[in-house]
Amino acid sequence: MRLEFLPATTQFSSAFANAVSNGARQPIFQVKESPVLPIFPKLKSLEWKFGPGTSEVRVVTAVINESPALDSLAIFASPEREEVPSDSWMAFFSSLDNHGRPLQSLKILARIHGSGASYDIKAKIPSLVQLIRRSALRELILPSDAIEAEAIASAISYIPTLKVLEVWDRYSVSETYEEALIPHNAFSSLECLRGDIITVGSLLVIPTFPTLAKLMIQGPSDEATVAWPFVRRTIRAIGQSCPALEVLHLRVGLFFEELGDFERGGTGPTSVFASLRGCPRLKDVLFDLSGTWFDGFHRDEINLLDEQWEHIAEAWPDLTSVWFGAGLSYEGRGWASSAPRPRATLRTIASFFRHCPKLMSFGVAISAKGKEARSALGEISPKQGPTRLDFRGSWILEDTQDVAIFLASQVPHQDTEIQIPQSLLEYSRGTLEQVLEVARREEWQKIRQLVGSARTTRQTLGL
């Protein structure tokens, strides 16, 4: 059931709430000489869109009280009311706490903080903590201002049934974040964690999330960038705390304050991403750093060498998909030329397919050279099934024919998809950037045609 309160329904809603509160019933709801029957005996899921008024709290409370089987509740805020008053929240949490059936799913998709002292988050903590402790939650979605409260974070960590936790709605980034005070045996059953990098990073301080299989991290907002130390620290924590991780998506824009804020990657496996070798079960990895501000510096720690990529790939034998982009988003937004030229080459492709036999989708930016293509042919472990290769952020430096031969040998299946750069730059025609982008697209277009011709020839010859 979904409740959305509109001006036209206000009078009816108020009458309904009064009738239920006063114990009034029509004959259809009551059998003679029998207990009063609930109005919604089989209702298990309720969505409530909180409107501009506050009287609907009574209505929703009445519905909950008349729904003994209810175990899933989602709360949304209307555009007219993005913040819900404290007294409404406290009354609502108290009514839920008195509900006979413990909730299994609670989604609060409305901010519970306010602009004045009377709306302080601290006023809501006791009632929300009590509700959480009495629940049997398997799924919990909360705004970040709630999870930052120590009492709430502690209560959540002790829910033995919790499988999915999501935190949302952070619009600013502080200079530092405080680690949540969470016991070391917390989140023993958690399988999925989603949220902004600052809040999630504050949770990744316990020694291990033994069952965490899916981790989805994003920036505090679509446009905000995060200082590299935040991201580096979180990546290290993931490698140390999430041994069972299978899906890792991190989408955040970076900025580098000073040269000392990052660790330069050398010729060896020194990148912070090498810490993710501590997650040997990874199957799906996506790093979207499309909002990164490079400020003219060559950021080696997020621009890995072939040796660094191989050091990582050999630790992920179950990998099926990998995508790593800086300057170009996964959806294709942004500009590939805004990022440093990739230091990885065709050898990185060979490394991933050699160490990851289940790999079906590859999207690490490379700089392809014909000379290296010829020498790397001996390192190929051909992928026989259909594959997806994403070269939208990659460059051709020389000799398209040899590069095409390498790719046709590495991924010979006729249904393999090759994505090439698009005309994404929003510069006026004739500028150097536009010329380079057009040339880059044309080079990859030639390669895609050559690879297709090679496959057709091989099929014709029965090879």
Side-chain angles (χ1 to χ4, degrees), residues 53-362:
T54 58
S55 60
E56 61 261 32
V57 175
R58 295 177 58 243
V59 180
V60 177
T61 301
V63 172
I64 291 173
N65 292 336
E66 295 295 327
S67 308
L70 185 71
D71 60 16
S72 177
L73 176 64
I75 305 171
F76 302 86
S78 69
E80 295 82 9
R81 178 181 292 282
E82 294 185 352
E83 297 175 358
V84 181
S86 282
D87 53 353
S88 296
W89 278 123
M90 288 187 285
F92 182 66
F93 290 150
S94 297
S95 68
L96 278 176
D97 186 41
N98 295 325
H99 184 57
R101 184 183 180 91
L103 288 176
Q104 294 187 24
S105 176
L106 176 61
K107 304 175 184 178
I108 301 180
L109 299 167
R111 293 201 292 275
I112 63 176
H113 67 283
S115 56
S118 62
Y119 295 159
D120 196 323
I121 178 65
K122 295 180 181 178
K124 315 174 189 68
I125 289 176
S127 54
L128 181 55
V129 167
Q130 186 174 356
L131 171 62
I132 290 173
R133 286 177 175 170
R134 284 195 67 254
S135 70
L137 289 171
R138 296 176 60 85
E139 179 182 29
L140 177 63
I141 299 177
L142 288 175
S144 60
D145 59 351
I147 200 75
E148 288 170 357
E150 180 182 338
I152 295 177
S154 178
I156 293 170
S157 66
Y158 281 111
I159 303 175
T161 55
L162 190 62
K163 302 294 184 183
V164 178
L165 174 62
E166 180 174 342
V167 291
W168 64 279
D169 192 34
R170 178 182 288 276
Y171 286 91
S172 62
V173 180
S174 58
E175 292 296 323
T176 60
Y177 64 78
E178 297 181 1
E179 296 178 350
L181 299 178
I182 299 173
H184 284 190
N185 60 345
F187 299 111
S188 58
S189 301
L190 194 66
E191 296 177 358
C192 178
L193 176 60
R194 301 187 186 96
D196 70 89
I197 190 166
I198 308 300
T199 307
V200 170
S202 71
L203 297 176
L204 291 173
V205 295
I206 60 177
T208 181
F209 283 75
T211 58
L212 190 66
K214 188 174 185 178
L215 181 57
M216 316 290 282
I217 303 175
Q218 61 189 27
S221 70
D222 291 338
E223 298 181 358
T225 55
V226 182
W228 172 238
F230 283 128
V231 182
R232 185 206 299 140
R233 181 181 182 179
T234 302
I235 293 172
R236 284 198 177 122
I238 293 169
Q240 296 168 357
S241 303
C242 307
L245 200 62
E246 297 180 3
V247 178
L248 172 59
H249 288 192
L250 190 151
R251 313 182 76 156
V252 62
L254 308 176
F255 72 87
F256 300 92
E257 294 176 339
E258 299 176 359
L259 289 177
D261 283 345
F262 68 96
E263 302 168 7
R264 287 189 176 276
T267 57
T270 58
S271 169
V272 68
F273 295 98
S275 61
L276 296 176
R277 287 171 55 88
C279 308
R281 301 183 188 178
L282 277 171
K283 299 178 181 180
D284 181 359
V285 177
L286 185 149
F287 278 86
D288 183 345
L289 311 178
S290 57
T292 297
W293 177 252
F294 293 95
D295 197 25
F297 294 110
H298 192 72
R299 303 302 183 179
D300 290 350
E301 197 173 3
I302 62 171
N303 191 10
L304 278 60
L305 297 162
D306 290 330
E307 294 85 351
Q308 294 169 320
W309 278 122
E310 181 167 19
H311 186 64
I312 297 170
E314 64 185 11
W316 297 341
D318 295 327
L319 192 69
T320 60
S321 176
V322 60
W323 198 92
F324 188 96
L328 179 73
S329 73
Y330 182 73
E331 290 82 11
R333 297 189 301 269
W335 301 270
S337 61
S338 69
R341 296 290 180 90
R343 298 196 296 166
T345 71
L346 292 168
R347 279 194 164 85
T348 289
I349 299 178
S351 296
F352 269 98
F353 282 105
R354 183 168 63 253
H355 295 296
C356 311
K358 302 176 184 178
L359 188 63
M360 302 297 293
S361 180
F362 176 88

Side-chain angles (χ1 to χ4, degrees), residues 29-37:
F29 297 126
Q30 187 173 9
V31 179
K32 187 176 182 180
E33 297 181 353
S34 68
V36 177
L37 300 177

